[in-house]
Amino acid sequence: MSIYDASFDTHFGFCCHIDEDASRQLARLPEVLSVRPEAGYSSEIKNYGIGNQTGVSLFDHGTVKHWMVRIDKPGVGIVTKAQMVDHCVQLLSKVLWNEMDAQMCIYHVSWQSKFGFCCDLDEKCAEELAGVPGVLAVVPDNNFESVNKDYEGDYSTQDSRESSESPPVKTKKLFITGLSFYTSEKTLRAAFEGFGELVEVKIIMDKISKRSKGYAFIEYTTEEAASVALKEMNGKIINGWMIVVDVAKTKPFRHNRSQTSSSEF
């Protein structure tokens, strides 16, 4: 048997012998709050509380802090805890550059009404994480030992004020990168049509392989719809890939010198 201890009084949990792959799969189950190495294996008294966790740290001793990360609502396809964990790991791995390390740093995930996660990082990585597309805020987790996390918080007013001050984009056409090669124009249209009427959805294909190049253009009938789509869809996940939405750049006018010269003479 792999289970060698269980708690059912004030804290609920169990200890077991499993490998790292199995521990990562176990952490994704809906009712599992955390999975961590057990430091006091030989002791009969087990610490099933969330606080005072010990283990191997990725950072220098004394620099690690507990952070609460509020993220934008993920795109289509994120409906379970396991999918949300994968989404959070992808975000965090953009500053840690390793999905396994990112998963070990995450100790709480919210995926139903509020979207976010809590993790252990040093301040430098936390600052970098705040600049990742899709991340709305990174603040200290002052309620570390509690399983009830407030992912809304008072800092939401600051985000809403900043977003309200940002001017709307003056374009109807958007440029999307980071698309999965398996994302179709139908899937892309379904993800963007909720913000307004679409004129065109065009995924750019490679002429030789006939496969997607991973980017596309979409055009709305109004600038207002394009502005909302740019704000809401940047950093979202479609078919397991995080997309980046930007304003489509217009092609500069190319001056034909030969035509100008012939017209002058």
Side-chain angles (χ1 to χ4, degrees), residues 123-177:
E123 292 189 359
K124 181 179 179 181
C125 287
E127 291 177 0
E128 294 178 358
L129 182 61
V132 172
V135 175
L136 300 179
V138 179
V139 297
D141 180 13
N142 297 323
N143 202 19
F144 170 63
E145 294 189 3
S146 173
V147 296
N148 299 318
K149 306 294 183 181
D150 180 15
Y151 285 95
E152 189 63 29
D154 296 335
Y155 48 85
S156 60
T157 55
Q158 179 180 357
D159 293 335
S160 61
R161 183 174 65 252
E162 290 176 352
S163 61
S164 63
E165 292 175 354
S166 59
V169 297
K170 298 295 183 180
T171 183
K172 300 177 183 179
K173 197 169 187 178
L174 301 176
F175 179 55
I176 296 95
T177 58

Side-chain angles (χ1 to χ4, degrees), residues 66-86:
H66 311 301
W67 301 94
M68 179 182 295
V69 184
R70 189 163 66 90
I71 64 176
D72 205 353
K73 182 178 180 180
V76 295
I78 307 294
V79 294
T80 66
K81 180 185 177 182
Q83 292 171 331
M84 186 63 179
V85 169
D86 288 338

Side-chain angles (χ1 to χ4, degrees), residues 1-220:
M1 289 184 62
S2 61
I3 296 178
Y4 59 87
D5 190 80
S7 175
F8 55 91
D9 294 328
T10 57
H11 293 94
F12 303 94
F14 60 91
C15 297
C16 60
H17 296 292
I18 53 176
D19 58 26
E20 290 187 2
D21 290 337
S23 67
R24 287 193 290 270
Q25 296 178 21
L26 181 61
R28 298 178 182 181
L29 296 180
E31 297 181 358
V32 175
L33 298 180
S34 66
V35 177
R36 66 179 189 268
E38 200 227 325
Y41 171 72
S42 59
S43 174
E44 294 182 359
I45 301 176
K46 307 297 183 183
N47 177 22
Y48 287 96
I50 295 182
N52 301 323
Q53 297 183 12
T54 58
V56 179
S57 175
L58 301 174
F59 312 100
D60 294 334
H61 180 70
T63 64
V64 179
K65 294 183 179 180
H66 311 301
W67 301 94
M68 179 182 295
V69 184
R70 189 163 66 90
I71 64 176
D72 205 353
K73 182 178 180 180
V76 295
I78 307 294
V79 294
T80 66
K81 180 185 177 182
Q83 292 171 331
M84 186 63 179
V85 169
D86 288 338
H87 177 53
C88 296
V89 166
Q90 287 186 27
L91 290 175
L92 193 53
S93 63
K94 291 184 180 297
V95 298
L96 297 181
W97 304 104
N98 187 300
E99 290 189 0
M100 182 177 296
D101 291 343
Q103 189 159 17
M104 294 299 293
C105 290
I106 295 175
Y107 59 87
H108 190 275
V109 171
S110 176
W111 78 99
Q112 293 174 327
S113 59
K114 306 300 179 183
F115 303 94
F117 62 95
C118 294
C119 59
D120 294 323
L121 293 174
D122 60 16
E123 292 189 359
K124 181 179 179 181
C125 287
E127 291 177 0
E128 294 178 358
L129 182 61
V132 172
V135 175
L136 300 179
V138 179
V139 297
D141 180 13
N142 297 323
N143 202 19
F144 170 63
E145 294 189 3
S146 173
V147 296
N148 299 318
K149 306 294 183 181
D150 180 15
Y151 285 95
E152 189 63 29
D154 296 335
Y155 48 85
S156 60
T157 55
Q158 179 180 357
D159 293 335
S160 61
R161 183 174 65 252
E162 290 176 352
S163 61
S164 63
E165 292 175 354
S166 59
V169 297
K170 298 295 183 180
T171 183
K172 300 177 183 179
K173 197 169 187 178
L174 301 176
F175 179 55
I176 296 95
T177 58
L179 290 173
S180 165
F181 298 123
Y182 301 103
T183 298
S184 65
E185 291 182 353
K186 181 179 179 181
T187 300
L188 197 60
R189 177 179 289 274
F192 280 86
E193 64 183 359
F195 305 103
E197 184 180 353
L198 289 165
V199 176
E200 183 183 30
V201 176
K202 185 174 181 61
I203 294 178
I204 306 304
M205 309 296 290
D206 185 87
K207 295 181 179 179
I208 299 177
S209 65
K210 306 299 181 182
R211 292 182 61 186
S212 167
K213 288 187 174 182
Y215 60 90
F217 292 92
I218 64 171
E219 185 176 358
Y220 287 93

